[in-house]
Amino acid sequence: MNDLQRLKEMGITVWDVRRPECYPGVSPQPVSLPDDCKLLLVCESKPTEQEAWLFSKVLASMKLSVEQALYLPPQAVNLLGEHQLEWCWFAGSQEAEIEGVKRLISPSLSALDNDQLAKKQLWQQIKQYES
């Protein structure tokens, strides 16, 4: 079994070589998303249980389910391959341009949880796309 198969079995589908100069033959693989993925959450770390609860509430307000959303670390955004995304939410991470996708920008989910003004601003961003 090779290293890529081991990573996949461990559930690690997105990875980055920290020192690419040590691996001249390794080129980054494009990140492929399932066709039913409509929202991409871009943040530094996978949401905790409390953050996931908040995330699911925001998704529900957008008429999306948790199954239609995926998490991606910021360093993997530039590896994004073909997709059917409608939304990209940058939560506490540097934003990137993804053509044809509605973009949301907010503080991290943990900061958002305790900041009513930031929640209001996020809601206003979501609503602006509805008009």
Side-chain angles (χ1 to χ4, degrees):
M1 178 183 306
N2 67 30
D3 291 337
L4 292 176
Q5 288 172 319
R6 279 193 195 95
L7 289 173
K8 194 171 186 174
E9 283 184 7
M10 293 168 54
I12 300 172
T13 57
V14 177
W15 54 276
D16 195 18
V17 176
R18 289 184 194 231
R19 295 181 47 207
E21 66 276 5
C22 294
Y23 304 94
V26 173
S27 60
Q29 298 296 312
V31 174
S32 60
L33 300 175
D35 288 342
D36 62 345
C37 180
K38 300 300 178 200
L39 183 140
L40 190 62
L41 175 66
V42 179
C43 55
E44 290 297 328
S45 59
K46 198 169 185 171
T48 64
E49 189 174 325
Q50 177 64 27
E51 294 167 345
W53 179 85
L54 173 64
F55 181 59
S56 71
K57 292 297 182 190
V58 173
L59 287 176
S61 76
M62 299 169 71
K63 299 184 179 30
L64 293 172
S65 67
V66 174
E67 293 77 25
Q68 293 176 295
L70 288 174
Y71 152 79
L72 196 67
Q75 62 271 24
V77 171
N78 63 347
L79 299 175
L80 195 57
E82 289 186 31
H83 58 78
Q84 303 296 321
L85 286 173
E86 293 177 17
W87 299 87
C88 191
W89 177 0
F90 295 91
S93 68
Q94 185 175 355
E95 53 194 275
E97 191 65 37
I98 302 175
E99 193 173 324
V101 174
K102 300 170 196 168
R103 186 170 58 172
L104 302 173
I105 300 160
S106 76
S108 67
L109 290 175
S110 61
L112 188 65
D113 195 25
N114 299 311
D115 187 339
Q116 292 304 316
L117 178 60
K119 285 180 187 176
K120 181 179 179 180
Q121 290 170 341
L122 177 63
W123 179 248
Q124 289 170 339
Q125 290 177 62
I126 294 167
K127 289 313 244 178
Q128 96 181 12
Y129 287 111
E130 290 182 0
S131 10

